Amino acid sequence: MNQSNESKRVVKFDTSTGGNSEKHASHAGTSELQRMAVTKGEKTFKKYDESDDGFVIARKRTPIEEQVLERVQNAEQIVDALPEDSLDVPKISPFLPEFLKDAIFVGHLVTDLDSVAGAIGAAALYGGQPALASDINSETQFAIDYWKVDLPPKLEDLLMENPTADICLVDHQQTSQMNPSINVDQIVGVIDHHALQSKTIVTDKPIYIDIRPWGSMSTIIAHTFLTHNRRPSVSVAGMLLCAILSDTLNLQGPTTTEWDRLIVAVLADIARVDDIQLLATQQFKAKSKELASLSAHALVNGDSKTFSFEADGFTGDIAFAVVETTDDDAILEKVEELFPEMVASKREKNVQCLFLAVVNIVKLKSQLLLCGPTEEALATAAFGGAISEDGLLMDLGNRVSRKKDFIPVITRTIKNGWSKPADLKRGLSTISLDKLGHLEVDPNDPQNKIQRIGSLLSPQKSDDSSKMMVDNEEEKKDSN
């Protein structure tokens, strides 16, 4: 959302913190990272927690933080060059179509954050009115509330007031994704980042087209602000930032480009975001409220953090993903989809263990998904919960917090000498990576759902054929 859409963390069993906690002068999403800096030799981490018995858990910089940090200097230079008041911009500037002024900017049906934020940003940039094509989802509501932005009116209401209003489509250009109240003859522009396919609109007159192969339509709007020497407001910058994080899976999705990464750093600075990882995590939790819209890949990687352990009995990385929900049954019904994704993600991230905890935030209980024998062995030693007959689920009881309940227990177990049993059987993660499929964006899904294609563990394959292919792979491993 490449990510390994995870946060990389390292566990150290000592109490020295060292480091320089001086806060960076600018934001760019990294002030909190620098304030909590912990130095270990020549490496710098971020303090994650400190246990009752005194050892410090200091996390490595997350992928988002790493990518933003790499671009902080460029982002600062860009932001410093922008005027504080856009009214001071000289009249001579790159082309900005006058006919988009006063147009209605609207996204696709089953509207998502990129559609809404893009419409809000485009309206602010070009001087028009944002509109909603349909009801918003929980993630979009989070961004609206977080940045204190007025919810745009519904398109139908605006067209009742002005039936002949000009319309600019954002984040789509296919008739199948258009609000049915739109008359194609009223379309004056398209701003999008999707492929042109068979149902792309056809117009009788030339219109403004801005389609770029970037990870988010909101990246295009933000880039246009910058190329016209315009500074978006804090709220608009924040909405665009959240939209890019959403569409690119926190800059780790397969559609992410260098432009997305740079623009995120710029917008984080303008929006005065101190901790970009915290913002991304809060946004994912809001998105998780609508589980039906999330793919297995998004669930396994959306809020995944990796911890590096160095102990006598075990050295390696453990990825620990969490999905918080009010309806854990809806998640657990997807085990057949989640299991192959966990196996593939484990191989892609090159970790020794990968866990996924499904936390019911109402009943305050959790289930732990296990994708192999190593996970089962470590979880049994750490938590001791009852395991389902198929070996895929462990009952974690009332443990609900990764920071307080999960990672400290695993850390203590490893610190106290746990090691992988010598007689442990092989797991499915020994299957070669090319047999576990690849990620693709569904071109027909307006929300750009990312799914894994071609895995031999896919539930679409028959159990017999999958088992046969798995057995063959195991034989190859044993013969090497």
Side-chain angles (χ1 to χ4, degrees):
M1 107 218 202
N2 232 345
Q3 190 165 325
S4 53
N5 188 17
E6 58 174 335
S7 311
K8 188 88 170 177
R9 303 176 187 266
V10 61
V11 176
K12 296 292 184 179
F13 305 128
D14 61 67
T15 59
S16 61
T17 56
N20 180 5
S21 61
E22 180 182 356
K23 188 173 181 179
H24 196 275
S26 68
H27 294 83
T30 62
S31 291
E32 182 67 9
L33 173 68
Q34 298 193 30
R35 186 181 73 82
M36 297 292 287
V38 176
T39 300
K40 300 286 185 180
E42 297 181 354
K43 297 182 179 180
T44 301
F45 307 96
K46 179 180 177 182
K47 184 176 179 180
Y48 182 64
D49 198 11
E50 186 166 348
S51 69
D52 295 337
D53 51 352
F55 63 86
V56 171
I57 301 178
R59 73 164 174 82
K60 291 183 179 179
R61 292 166 175 163
T62 68
I64 297 176
E65 290 166 335
E66 287 282 11
Q67 296 192 38
V68 171
L69 276 170
E70 290 175 7
R71 297 160 181 84
V72 163
Q73 185 174 359
N74 287 342
E76 290 174 353
Q77 292 174 350
I78 291 171
V79 174
D80 288 345
L82 295 173
E84 290 295 336
D85 187 349
S86 295
L87 296 178
D88 294 334
V89 177
K91 296 300 181 183
I92 300 176
S93 64
F95 174 65
L96 201 65
E98 287 291 331
F99 54 83
L100 289 185
K101 186 176 182 180
D102 298 326
I104 297 174
F105 295 85
V106 63
H108 51 72
L109 294 170
V110 195
T111 197
D112 60 6
L113 182 51
D114 198 29
S115 274
V116 176
I120 291 172
L125 173 64
Y126 294 105
Q129 169 69 57
L132 298 179
S134 58
D135 293 335
I136 63 173
N137 58 28
S138 57
E139 181 185 37
T140 304
Q141 187 65 61
F142 162 81
I144 290 285
D145 294 340
Y146 189 94
W147 296 107
K148 296 178 172 60
V149 175
D150 291 334
L151 185 66
K154 292 185 177 181
L155 175 63
E156 293 87 346
D157 295 338
L158 292 178
L159 289 178
M160 285 184 64
E161 296 175 5
N162 185 3
T164 61
D166 291 335
I167 294 175
C168 180
L169 304 181
V170 301
D171 202 31
H172 74 299
Q173 24 68 23
Q174 291 183 292
T175 56
S176 58
Q177 298 178 9
M178 275 174 34
N179 183 295
S181 63
I182 295 176
N183 183 339
V184 175
D185 292 337
Q186 293 174 239
I187 297 175
V188 296
V190 170
I191 307 172
D192 192 21
H193 68 122
H194 295 101
L196 300 174
Q197 296 182 327
S198 59
K199 294 183 179 179
T200 297
I201 62 167
V202 176
T203 63
D204 293 332
K205 60 181 183 298
I207 64 173
Y208 178 72
I209 300 286
D210 189 352
I211 298 179
R212 311 184 202 181
W214 294 355
S216 167
M217 176 266 173
S218 291
T219 305
I220 300 172
I221 296 298
H223 182 267
T224 307
F225 264 106
L226 302 180
T227 56
H228 286 77
N229 205 29
R230 298 272 300 279
R231 179 190 290 265
S233 67
V234 169
S235 58
V236 169
M239 289 294 296
L240 296 174
L241 171 63
C242 285
I244 299 171
L245 294 179
S246 176
D247 258 27
T248 64
L249 291 180
N250 298 339
L251 299 180
Q252 300 304 304
T255 62
T256 308
T257 69
E258 179 60 27
W259 285 111
D260 300 301
R261 299 182 181 100
L262 175 60
I263 294 299
V264 160
V266 171
L267 293 173
D269 198 318
I270 296 174
R272 304 168 190 165
V273 175
D274 289 329
D275 192 337
I276 197 159
Q277 180 60 45
L278 177 61
L279 175 62
T281 299
Q282 291 173 331
Q283 183 171 309
F284 176 76
K285 288 181 178 179
K287 188 176 187 177
S288 299
K289 293 178 181 178
E290 297 183 353
L291 302 174
S293 65
L294 296 183
S295 66
H297 176 75
L299 291 169
V300 172
N301 294 278
D303 186 9
S304 174
K305 305 184 191 306
T306 298
F307 299 80
S308 298
F309 292 86
E310 299 173 7
D312 292 338
F314 177 84
T315 297
D317 292 344
I318 296 177
F320 204 110
V322 173
V323 173
E324 295 182 341
T325 177
T326 59
D327 184 8
D328 51 343
D329 288 339
I331 290 288
L332 299 178
E333 288 174 357
K334 295 186 176 185
V335 167
E336 287 190 354
E337 299 174 40
L338 293 169
F339 180 74
E341 183 61 40
M342 290 175 68
V343 173
S345 293
K346 180 178 178 180
R347 288 299 311 274
E348 290 172 344
K349 296 175 182 180
N350 193 27
V351 296
Q352 280 63 53
C353 290
L354 186 147
F355 295 105
L356 172 61
V358 180
V359 179
N360 188 309
I361 58 177
V362 175
K363 298 179 180 178
L364 296 180
K365 64 172 187 167
S366 301
Q367 294 281 339
L368 188 66
L369 273 70
L370 310 170
C371 66
T374 303
E375 286 79 5
E376 181 177 340
L378 177 54
T380 299
F383 305 114
I387 298 178
S388 61
E389 291 185 6
D390 58 12
L392 298 181
L393 290 173
M394 172 180 281
D395 186 356
L396 293 180
N398 60 2
R399 299 183 181 94
V400 295
S401 169
R402 175 170 49 200
K403 187 171 185 178
K404 298 298 182 183
D405 298 327
F406 303 150
I407 296 305
V409 176
I410 289 177
T411 299
R412 194 173 299 112
T413 300
I414 292 175
K415 179 186 177 184
N416 290 340
W418 182 85
S419 61
K420 186 185 298 187
D423 59 349
L424 200 66
K425 64 181 181 180
R426 289 182 179 273
L428 295 178
S429 58
T430 58
I431 299 173
S432 61
L433 190 56
D434 61 350
K435 298 293 194 303
L436 296 176
H438 62 279
L439 298 176
E440 287 187 4
V441 177
D442 184 351
N444 298 315
D445 185 355
Q447 295 189 356
N448 301 318
K449 182 178 290 185
I450 295 173
Q451 53 192 359
R452 187 170 297 277
I453 304 297
S455 171
L456 70 86
L457 301 179
S458 170
Q460 282 77 30
K461 293 181 176 291
S462 70
D463 293 339
D464 291 341
S465 62
S466 294
K467 184 178 185 304
M468 185 180 301
M469 295 181 74
V470 170
D471 290 343
N472 290 338
E473 287 294 321
E474 292 294 329
E475 290 176 4
K476 293 178 183 178
K477 288 287 182 182
D478 290 336
S479 64
N480 289 337

